[in-house]
Amino acid sequence: MKRIFKIALVIIVTIICIMVGTRTRYNNGIKVTQFEPQLTRSMGYMLETANNKMIIIDGGLPEDSSHVEEKILEKGGVVEAWFITHAHDDHYGVLVELIKSGKVQINNIYVSFNSEEWYETYNKDKFESIKNMLDLLDSEEIRDKVREVNLREEFAIDNLFFKILKIKSPEHIENPGNNQSIVIKVSNNIRSMIFLGDLGSEYEEEFLQNNLDEIEADAVQMAHHGQAGVSEKIYNEINPKMCFWPTPDWLWNNDPGDGTSNGPWQTLKTRSWIEKIGATNYVAKDGDITINIY
């Protein structure tokens, strides 16, 4: 009888531990840090898992590299996964500089890039910088860490689950560089956040049709630094409670230097859309900010 009691007790304790562990795993939230641009418009995010693994999404311009490197070193100096949304240097510049410095350990780099010939044709003004980046990622010491993601691919890093909702689309040659952005949905099976990169509105109907069943999320990174990269329809479908803006002060206010609303950017229009949704804004102009999305 005592033996049966002991076995039953062990089983009950084991079940409780599993339940508590599962609850802790999912209730840990999605811990996201939005980096402040150090020079001008750029984009960089850090995610941290329940077991303190680091994931970087983009990073920013080369001029942002010291700032991002410092933040990574403060957390132990090891990046488990680094995602680059597309081949513009205000997104991949930090990665290039940190690979060169060698102070940070990067275990995996996830990309979705076109051929050099494609960038030479459709991103000619940025081609030299893009080619240097592609050559670096193809170098002997780095190439084994680099992997092209697949559409609808899913994988987990500790308590965080990643799904790729969009990859490169070389056939999209209107606003070509920005529309190569990959779109990443991150979740912990309770809360979720979508990273849109610099996705444009030109092909958003196609994107929506492919992802309408899972586009809704608790948080969103505002496309193309918040200047109406995608339309109001996308944000209404996402229906976020939190909006993360990789946006400096001048862009937030559409101010080229002679006052609010005097510039050509569409940020104020985008802000009006979010006001109607009623989401909370976190803007990079206000400095680094870390939010745990529960």
Side-chain angles (χ1 to χ4, degrees):
M1 192 70 177
K2 287 183 179 180
R3 179 179 174 80
I4 294 173
F5 175 77
K6 286 181 179 178
I7 292 172
L9 185 61
V10 168
I11 292 172
I12 291 169
V13 169
T14 301
I15 292 171
I16 291 172
C17 288
I18 291 171
M19 292 176 64
V20 169
T22 301
R23 183 174 180 180
T24 300
R25 174 182 173 87
Y26 295 133
N27 283 358
N28 190 68
I30 303 171
K31 188 176 182 181
V32 55
T33 297
Q34 177 173 256
F35 295 127
E36 177 186 15
Q38 300 300 292
L39 179 65
T40 184
R41 181 179 65 199
S42 64
M43 171 174 149
Y45 292 89
M46 176 170 65
L47 302 173
E48 297 173 72
T49 73
N51 292 314
N52 301 314
K53 289 187 176 181
M54 256 186 297
I55 299 99
I56 300 292
I57 296 179
D58 287 347
L61 285 160
E63 291 82 0
D64 296 301
S65 59
S66 294
H67 178 69
V68 175
E69 182 179 77
E70 179 183 348
K71 299 302 177 183
I72 293 172
L73 291 174
E74 286 175 0
K75 300 287 185 178
V78 178
V79 177
E80 180 62 27
W82 199 308
F83 291 86
I84 296 295
T85 61
H86 63 294
H88 283 165
D89 66 351
D90 58 328
H91 296 259
Y92 68 72
V94 167
L95 174 63
V96 168
E97 295 304 310
L98 266 56
I99 289 173
K100 291 177 181 177
S101 79
K103 295 180 182 177
V104 168
Q105 177 181 324
I106 303 169
N107 292 338
N108 300 282
I109 300 171
Y110 296 96
V111 301
S112 183
F113 290 151
N114 293 314
S115 67
E116 282 191 13
E117 292 75 20
W118 190 94
Y119 291 112
E120 188 172 20
T121 302
Y122 296 110
N123 265 189
K124 184 169 282 189
D125 60 328
K126 301 177 184 292
F127 176 66
E128 184 176 352
S129 173
I130 293 171
K131 184 180 185 308
N132 289 337
M133 180 269 295
L134 293 175
D135 287 346
L136 177 63
L137 294 185
D138 193 41
S139 61
E140 186 174 352
E141 64 272 23
I142 300 297
R143 68 168 67 106
D144 289 343
K145 299 181 178 183
V146 180
R147 191 166 65 77
E148 285 264 339
V149 295
N150 298 308
L151 185 62
R152 318 297 291 179
E153 183 175 1
E154 299 180 71
F155 49 93
I157 303 175
D158 283 350
N159 64 309
L160 298 184
F161 300 89
F162 296 78
K163 186 165 187 176
I164 307 300
L165 302 185
K166 181 190 173 298
I167 58 172
K168 65 187 177 185
S169 46
E171 71 278 11
H172 292 165
I173 57 174
E174 188 177 355
N175 187 13
N178 291 329
N179 277 316
Q180 302 311 304
S181 294
I182 65 173
V183 175
I184 310 160
K185 186 170 187 179
V186 184
S187 73
N188 67 342
N189 275 348
I190 295 177
R191 301 300 181 195
S192 59
M193 180 172 180
I194 285 183
F195 291 87
L196 296 172
D198 278 359
L199 186 65
S201 62
E202 293 83 2
Y203 306 100
E204 65 178 33
E205 284 299 328
E206 178 184 324
F207 171 72
L208 271 178
Q209 287 172 15
N210 292 335
N211 296 288
L212 197 55
D213 60 333
E214 52 191 335
I215 193 69
E216 190 169 356
D218 298 283
V220 64
Q221 168 256 312
M222 303 299 288
H224 202 199
H225 311 274
Q227 51 175 323
V230 295
S231 75
E232 183 176 13
K233 182 177 181 179
I234 290 276
Y235 294 118
N236 286 339
E237 293 290 349
I238 295 173
N239 193 26
K241 301 177 182 67
M242 291 166 273
C243 295
F244 289 78
W245 299 69
T247 311
D249 185 77
W250 58 269
L251 186 54
W252 176 252
N253 292 310
N254 188 25
D255 181 359
D258 55 356
T260 296
S261 223
N262 285 328
W265 306 288
Q266 301 298 307
T267 327
L268 295 177
K269 179 167 73 173
T270 313
R271 288 169 60 178
S272 72
W273 301 342
I274 301 307
E275 282 179 23
K276 286 190 277 185
I277 293 173
T280 300
N281 291 320
Y282 300 103
V283 190
K285 72 179 181 65
D286 297 325
D288 292 352
I289 184 168
T290 299
I291 300 293
N292 211 330
I293 304 170
Y294 285 107

